[in-house]
Amino acid sequence: MTDDDTRSAVYAELASVGAYGVRPGHALITMVEPHPGHEYAYNRWYEDDHFIAGAMAMPWIYAGRRWVATRELQQLRYPEESAVARPVTAGCYITVYWLTEGRYDEHMRWTVSINKRLNRDGRVHQARTHVFTAFQDHEATVYRDGAAGPRDFHALDHPYAGLVVEVIDTESSEQREELLEWLRSRHLPKRLRGTPAAMVTVFRPTPLPGDRMAYVKEVEEVDTRLTLLWFLEADPRERFTEVCGGLDEEVAASGLGRVELVAPFIPTVPGTDRYVDELR
């Protein structure tokens, strides 16, 4: 293969222009349910191939981490009637990626193209369902310890023991702005104090491109939803209620939205099938 085949000369030109900071301006959050009987095959495909070829090898993704919800963790989710996961236990794997701020459009052009290529080459595992998959724009990060400790751009590399995904819906885009301010200035600083949760990042979903792969459904509630990622220093199997119990009641009491999902996860162990036999 020659330089002409890969157009390598263009890369030097592209690298000399555009944003190249470290802030996680965008995220890809993808929660997936492997079909029954395909759990091991899905885990190996995603970890051995897709995590790299379908994400980390792409331009402007600079961090990524996989998380898993065992049956025990699935049973901790609420509310029982969720607009996100039906049933609420669906989606036992989630992967989160950080994208460089200001590089969303460039990344999307690449990811649509590479996923079409992977699909054409038979490198896409079809026995899975996308429960909650969306690119999202970063809105805020709230830290428990202020300026001390890892920053949000470290969050997917730091060895956090757990992740809790919280999804909140509002009635309008205006109410979402009010909710964001309440979360950032009042609710989260108070809620984080003295807990094993080191930070919460807040994102809002963005529409997927029209030429997305057919197996990824359109993003819902683009104008009225916020996604919160709670990064925990303790295993959520032991400290979940302390950290995230009753979030739905507190949001409802604010009058600014309704919690549609609170779901705890623990990190996968790369290169292994650990936890796969604990999903069902």
Side-chain angles (χ1 to χ4, degrees):
M1 184 173 289
T2 67
D3 284 355
D4 287 341
D5 293 328
T6 61
R7 305 180 192 176
S8 59
V10 178
Y11 284 88
E13 179 182 344
L14 294 175
S16 67
V17 296
Y20 67 121
V22 300
R23 182 175 181 267
H26 322 276
L28 170 58
I29 302 171
T30 175
M31 188 166 77
V32 172
E33 180 73 12
H35 295 173
H38 295 267
E39 294 86 355
Y40 282 93
Y42 169 79
N43 189 54
R44 292 271 46 87
W45 163 77
Y46 198 96
E47 189 169 275
D48 295 345
D49 190 1
H50 200 62
F51 180 82
I52 300 167
M56 293 302 296
M58 294 191 200
W60 309 115
I61 279 187
Y62 68 87
R65 195 169 190 187
R66 295 186 71 214
W67 311 79
V68 60
T70 62
R71 188 63 181 171
E72 179 183 1
L73 286 163
Q74 294 168 37
Q75 294 298 323
L76 295 174
R77 294 181 180 182
Y78 66 89
E80 184 175 352
E81 296 296 324
S82 168
V84 175
R86 304 181 184 92
V88 72
T89 53
C92 54
Y93 282 103
I94 195 166
T95 310
V96 179
Y97 302 97
W98 289 165
L99 280 70
T100 300
E101 183 178 28
R103 290 294 190 170
Y104 177 79
D105 291 339
E106 293 97 321
H107 174 77
M108 289 306 299
R109 293 182 69 179
W110 187 285
T111 192
V112 168
S113 180
I114 199 68
N115 276 284
K116 287 181 177 179
R117 181 182 180 186
L118 290 168
N119 196 64
R120 184 178 65 246
D121 292 345
R123 288 174 62 181
V124 175
H125 185 93
Q126 301 292 350
R128 76 198 199 280
T129 299
H130 282 268
V131 177
F132 180 63
T133 292
F135 284 89
Q136 312 217 15
D137 287 344
H138 180 259
E139 289 289 344
T141 300
V142 179
Y143 298 99
R144 180 193 60 201
D145 301 327
R151 302 292 87 190
D152 50 14
F153 48 83
H154 300 129
L156 300 180
D157 298 310
H158 188 79
Y160 285 115
L163 173 75
V164 175
V165 180
E166 179 184 6
V167 179
I168 308 175
D169 285 348
T170 64
E171 296 298 330
S172 66
S173 57
E174 292 79 14
Q175 189 179 59
R176 183 173 69 177
E177 290 304 310
E178 294 181 54
L179 172 66
L180 176 61
E181 181 56 31
W182 177 75
L183 290 169
R184 181 167 42 200
S185 63
R186 297 173 57 190
H187 175 64
L188 292 176
K190 179 180 178 181
R191 188 72 197 230
L192 285 171
R193 196 174 303 130
T195 74
M199 74 175 80
V200 178
T201 58
V202 184
F203 292 86
R204 59 176 175 84
T206 60
L208 287 170
D211 55 352
R212 70 188 185 280
M213 301 308 294
Y215 49 76
V216 181
K217 66 180 182 179
E218 183 56 273
V219 179
E220 300 172 337
E221 311 296 341
V222 169
D223 297 322
T224 56
R225 176 169 285 175
L226 290 176
T227 304
L228 285 67
L229 303 178
W230 298 65
F231 290 92
L232 276 56
E233 296 172 331
D235 191 322
R237 290 171 293 188
E238 301 169 359
R239 309 285 293 276
F240 175 72
T241 301
E242 173 192 345
V243 179
C244 292
L247 291 174
D248 53 345
E249 297 171 356
E250 294 181 11
V251 171
S254 75
L256 297 173
R258 61 191 178 280
V259 170
E260 292 291 357
L261 182 67
V262 178
F265 295 83
I266 53 177
T268 61
V269 181
T272 77
D273 289 318
R274 188 173 179 183
Y275 304 120
V276 175
D277 60 354
E278 300 178 41
L279 301 180
R280 311 297 182 193

